[in-house]
PDB file of all heavy atoms in Angstrom:
ATOM      1  N   ASN G 321      73.672  60.691  80.178  1.00 98.00           N
ATOM      2  CA  ASN G 321      72.267  60.823  79.853  1.00 98.00           C
ATOM      3  C   ASN G 321      71.402  59.950  80.755  1.00 98.00           C
ATOM      4  O   ASN G 321      71.750  58.832  81.019  1.00 98.00           O
ATOM      5  CB  ASN G 321      72.006  60.451  78.381  1.00 98.00           C
ATOM      6  CG  ASN G 321      72.200  61.550  77.383  1.00 98.00           C
ATOM      7  OD1 ASN G 321      72.182  62.728  77.800  1.00 98.00           O
ATOM      8  ND2 ASN G 321      72.402  61.196  76.112  1.00 98.00           N
ATOM      9  N   PRO G 322      70.257  60.484  81.169  1.00 98.00           N
ATOM     10  CA  PRO G 322      69.273  59.624  81.805  1.00 98.00           C
ATOM     11  C   PRO G 322      68.521  58.870  80.761  1.00 98.00           C
ATOM     12  O   PRO G 322      68.767  59.027  79.610  1.00 98.00           O
ATOM     13  CB  PRO G 322      68.355  60.624  82.512  1.00 98.00           C
ATOM     14  CG  PRO G 322      68.392  61.891  81.652  1.00 98.00           C
ATOM     15  CD  PRO G 322      69.820  61.866  81.087  1.00 98.00           C
ATOM     16  N   ASP G 323      67.578  57.987  81.189  1.00 97.00           N
ATOM     17  CA  ASP G 323      66.730  57.359  80.200  1.00 97.00           C
ATOM     18  C   ASP G 323      65.875  58.459  79.624  1.00 97.00           C
ATOM     19  O   ASP G 323      65.260  59.232  80.348  1.00 97.00           O
ATOM     20  CB  ASP G 323      65.804  56.301  80.975  1.00 97.00           C
ATOM     21  CG  ASP G 323      65.144  55.397  80.070  1.00 97.00           C
ATOM     22  OD1 ASP G 323      64.874  55.693  78.871  1.00 97.00           O
ATOM     23  OD2 ASP G 323      64.848  54.217  80.492  1.00 97.00           O
ATOM     24  N   TYR G 324      65.828  58.633  78.268  1.00 97.00           N
ATOM     25  CA  TYR G 324      65.058  59.762  77.655  1.00 97.00           C
ATOM     26  C   TYR G 324      64.562  59.336  76.288  1.00 97.00           C
ATOM     27  O   TYR G 324      65.100  58.367  75.672  1.00 97.00           O
ATOM     28  CB  TYR G 324      65.950  60.961  77.568  1.00 97.00           C
ATOM     29  CG  TYR G 324      66.915  60.928  76.322  1.00 97.00           C
ATOM     30  CD1 TYR G 324      66.579  61.499  75.140  1.00 97.00           C
ATOM     31  CD2 TYR G 324      68.087  60.258  76.472  1.00 97.00           C
ATOM     32  CE1 TYR G 324      67.452  61.432  74.016  1.00 97.00           C
ATOM     33  CE2 TYR G 324      68.986  60.127  75.387  1.00 97.00           C
ATOM     34  CZ  TYR G 324      68.619  60.727  74.191  1.00 97.00           C
ATOM     35  OH  TYR G 324      69.469  60.602  73.117  1.00 97.00           O
ATOM     36  N   ARG G 325      63.515  60.022  75.849  1.00 97.00           N
ATOM     37  CA  ARG G 325      63.073  59.859  74.456  1.00 97.00           C
ATOM     38  C   ARG G 325      62.620  61.212  73.932  1.00 97.00           C
ATOM     39  O   ARG G 325      62.028  62.011  74.676  1.00 97.00           O
ATOM     40  CB  ARG G 325      62.013  58.812  74.354  1.00 97.00           C
ATOM     41  CG  ARG G 325      62.604  57.470  74.130  1.00 97.00           C
ATOM     42  CD  ARG G 325      61.626  56.350  73.986  1.00 97.00           C
ATOM     43  NE  ARG G 325      60.741  56.399  72.852  1.00 97.00           N
ATOM     44  CZ  ARG G 325      59.696  55.632  72.623  1.00 97.00           C
ATOM     45  NH1 ARG G 325      59.401  54.717  73.498  1.00 97.00           N
ATOM     46  NH2 ARG G 325      58.988  55.778  71.548  1.00 97.00           N
ATOM     47  N   TYR G 336      55.410  55.363  77.090  1.00 96.00           N
ATOM     48  CA  TYR G 336      56.688  55.678  77.700  1.00 96.00           C
ATOM     49  C   TYR G 336      56.546  56.311  79.060  1.00 96.00           C
ATOM     50  O   TYR G 336      57.272  56.004  80.040  1.00 96.00           O
ATOM     51  CB  TYR G 336      57.479  56.674  76.751  1.00 96.00           C
ATOM     52  CG  TYR G 336      58.896  56.863  77.178  1.00 96.00           C
ATOM     53  CD1 TYR G 336      59.771  55.793  77.294  1.00 96.00           C
ATOM     54  CD2 TYR G 336      59.384  58.205  77.440  1.00 96.00           C
ATOM     55  CE1 TYR G 336      61.078  56.006  77.702  1.00 96.00           C
ATOM     56  CE2 TYR G 336      60.676  58.354  77.818  1.00 96.00           C
ATOM     57  CZ  TYR G 336      61.577  57.259  77.960  1.00 96.00           C
ATOM     58  OH  TYR G 336      62.886  57.448  78.331  1.00 96.00           O
ATOM     59  N   LEU G 340      58.107  54.824  82.556  1.00 95.00           N
ATOM     60  CA  LEU G 340      59.026  55.585  83.461  1.00 95.00           C
ATOM     61  C   LEU G 340      58.336  55.781  84.861  1.00 95.00           C
ATOM     62  O   LEU G 340      59.031  55.864  85.862  1.00 95.00           O
ATOM     63  CB  LEU G 340      59.320  56.968  82.869  1.00 95.00           C
ATOM     64  CG  LEU G 340      60.210  57.044  81.685  1.00 95.00           C
ATOM     65  CD1 LEU G 340      60.475  58.443  81.274  1.00 95.00           C
ATOM     66  CD2 LEU G 340      61.601  56.370  81.970  1.00 95.00           C
ATOM     67  N   SER G 342      57.873  57.870  86.882  1.00 95.00           N
ATOM     68  CA  SER G 342      58.311  59.181  87.387  1.00 95.00           C
ATOM     69  C   SER G 342      59.124  59.864  86.294  1.00 95.00           C
ATOM     70  O   SER G 342      60.104  59.284  85.897  1.00 95.00           O
ATOM     71  CB  SER G 342      59.137  58.846  88.607  1.00 95.00           C
ATOM     72  OG  SER G 342      59.299  60.019  89.348  1.00 95.00           O
ATOM     73  N   PHE G 343      58.715  61.058  85.825  1.00 96.00           N
ATOM     74  CA  PHE G 343      59.244  61.558  84.628  1.00 96.00           C
ATOM     75  C   PHE G 343      59.354  63.103  84.608  1.00 96.00           C
ATOM     76  O   PHE G 343      58.768  63.711  85.499  1.00 96.00           O
ATOM     77  CB  PHE G 343      58.467  61.116  83.387  1.00 96.00           C
ATOM     78  CG  PHE G 343      56.972  61.258  83.591  1.00 96.00           C
ATOM     79  CD1 PHE G 343      56.406  62.496  83.517  1.00 96.00           C
ATOM     80  CD2 PHE G 343      56.173  60.154  83.947  1.00 96.00           C
ATOM     81  CE1 PHE G 343      55.053  62.660  83.718  1.00 96.00           C
ATOM     82  CE2 PHE G 343      54.874  60.280  84.237  1.00 96.00           C
ATOM     83  CZ  PHE G 343      54.250  61.529  84.103  1.00 96.00           C
ATOM     84  N   VAL G 344      60.014  63.631  83.618  1.00 96.00           N
ATOM     85  CA  VAL G 344      60.117  65.073  83.482  1.00 96.00           C
ATOM     86  C   VAL G 344      59.840  65.362  82.002  1.00 96.00           C
ATOM     87  O   VAL G 344      60.255  64.629  81.101  1.00 96.00           O
ATOM     88  CB  VAL G 344      61.552  65.549  83.766  1.00 96.00           C
ATOM     89  CG1 VAL G 344      61.710  67.039  83.551  1.00 96.00           C
ATOM     90  CG2 VAL G 344      61.929  65.212  85.193  1.00 96.00           C
ATOM     91  N   VAL G 385      60.958  63.681  76.797  1.00 96.00           N
ATOM     92  CA  VAL G 385      60.509  63.099  78.070  1.00 96.00           C
ATOM     93  C   VAL G 385      61.647  62.337  78.676  1.00 96.00           C
ATOM     94  O   VAL G 385      62.421  61.609  77.910  1.00 96.00           O
ATOM     95  CB  VAL G 385      59.338  62.065  77.833  1.00 96.00           C
ATOM     96  CG1 VAL G 385      58.836  61.519  79.198  1.00 96.00           C
ATOM     97  CG2 VAL G 385      58.189  62.803  77.123  1.00 96.00           C
ATOM     98  N   GLU G 386      61.955  62.488  79.941  1.00 97.00           N
ATOM     99  CA  GLU G 386      63.036  61.676  80.569  1.00 97.00           C
ATOM    100  C   GLU G 386      62.710  61.259  81.942  1.00 97.00           C
ATOM    101  O   GLU G 386      61.791  61.770  82.554  1.00 97.00           O
ATOM    102  CB  GLU G 386      64.386  62.473  80.490  1.00 97.00           C
ATOM    103  CG  GLU G 386      64.319  63.839  81.056  1.00 97.00           C
ATOM    104  CD  GLU G 386      65.634  64.739  80.766  1.00 97.00           C
ATOM    105  OE1 GLU G 386      66.013  64.745  79.567  1.00 97.00           O
ATOM    106  OE2 GLU G 386      66.134  65.307  81.703  1.00 97.00           O
ATOM    107  N   GLU G 387      63.449  60.251  82.406  1.00 97.00           N
ATOM    108  CA  GLU G 387      63.213  59.727  83.788  1.00 97.00           C
ATOM    109  C   GLU G 387      63.456  60.862  84.747  1.00 97.00           C
ATOM    110  O   GLU G 387      64.334  61.690  84.577  1.00 97.00           O
ATOM    111  CB  GLU G 387      64.131  58.532  84.056  1.00 97.00           C
ATOM    112  CG  GLU G 387      65.595  58.918  84.237  1.00 97.00           C
ATOM    113  CD  GLU G 387      66.534  57.804  84.629  1.00 97.00           C
ATOM    114  OE1 GLU G 387      66.344  57.255  85.752  1.00 97.00           O
ATOM    115  OE2 GLU G 387      67.422  57.537  83.879  1.00 97.00           O
ATOM    116  N   ARG G 388      62.649  60.831  85.847  1.00 97.00           N
ATOM    117  CA  ARG G 388      62.870  61.806  86.873  1.00 97.00           C
ATOM    118  C   ARG G 388      64.006  61.307  87.795  1.00 97.00           C
ATOM    119  O   ARG G 388      63.893  60.225  88.302  1.00 97.00           O
ATOM    120  CB  ARG G 388      61.576  61.999  87.668  1.00 97.00           C
ATOM    121  CG  ARG G 388      61.815  62.947  88.804  1.00 97.00           C
ATOM    122  CD  ARG G 388      60.601  63.083  89.692  1.00 97.00           C
ATOM    123  NE  ARG G 388      60.910  63.945  90.819  1.00 97.00           N
ATOM    124  CZ  ARG G 388      60.128  64.415  91.684  1.00 97.00           C
ATOM    125  NH1 ARG G 388      58.860  64.194  91.608  1.00 97.00           N
ATOM    126  NH2 ARG G 388      60.563  65.198  92.674  1.00 97.00           N
ATOM    127  N   LEU G 389      65.028  62.128  87.936  1.00 97.00           N
ATOM    128  CA  LEU G 389      66.209  61.728  88.729  1.00 97.00           C
ATOM    129  C   LEU G 389      66.013  62.261  90.125  1.00 97.00           C
ATOM    130  O   LEU G 389      65.426  63.350  90.355  1.00 97.00           O
ATOM    131  CB  LEU G 389      67.439  62.311  88.143  1.00 97.00           C
ATOM    132  CG  LEU G 389      67.727  61.898  86.686  1.00 97.00           C
ATOM    133  CD1 LEU G 389      68.803  62.810  86.076  1.00 97.00           C
ATOM    134  CD2 LEU G 389      68.190  60.485  86.605  1.00 97.00           C
ATOM    135  N   ARG G 485      74.480  62.329  86.554  1.00 98.00           N
ATOM    136  CA  ARG G 485      73.778  62.436  85.301  1.00 98.00           C
ATOM    137  C   ARG G 485      73.815  63.962  84.838  1.00 98.00           C
ATOM    138  O   ARG G 485      73.825  64.818  85.673  1.00 98.00           O
ATOM    139  CB  ARG G 485      72.286  62.079  85.410  1.00 98.00           C
ATOM    140  CG  ARG G 485      72.036  60.657  85.832  1.00 98.00           C
ATOM    141  CD  ARG G 485      72.304  59.643  84.761  1.00 98.00           C
ATOM    142  NE  ARG G 485      71.918  58.308  85.256  1.00 98.00           N
ATOM    143  CZ  ARG G 485      72.686  57.555  86.024  1.00 98.00           C
ATOM    144  NH1 ARG G 485      73.898  57.951  86.381  1.00 98.00           N
ATOM    145  NH2 ARG G 485      72.305  56.386  86.454  1.00 98.00           N
TER     146      ARG G 485
END
Side-chain angles (χ1 to χ4, degrees):
N321 272 340
D323 196 332
Y324 78 97
R325 270 178 67 185
Y336 190 57
L340 290 181
S342 191
F343 46 77
V344 178
V385 181
E386 53 191 48
E387 70 176 298
R388 179 185 173 169
L389 301 165
R485 298 286 184 281

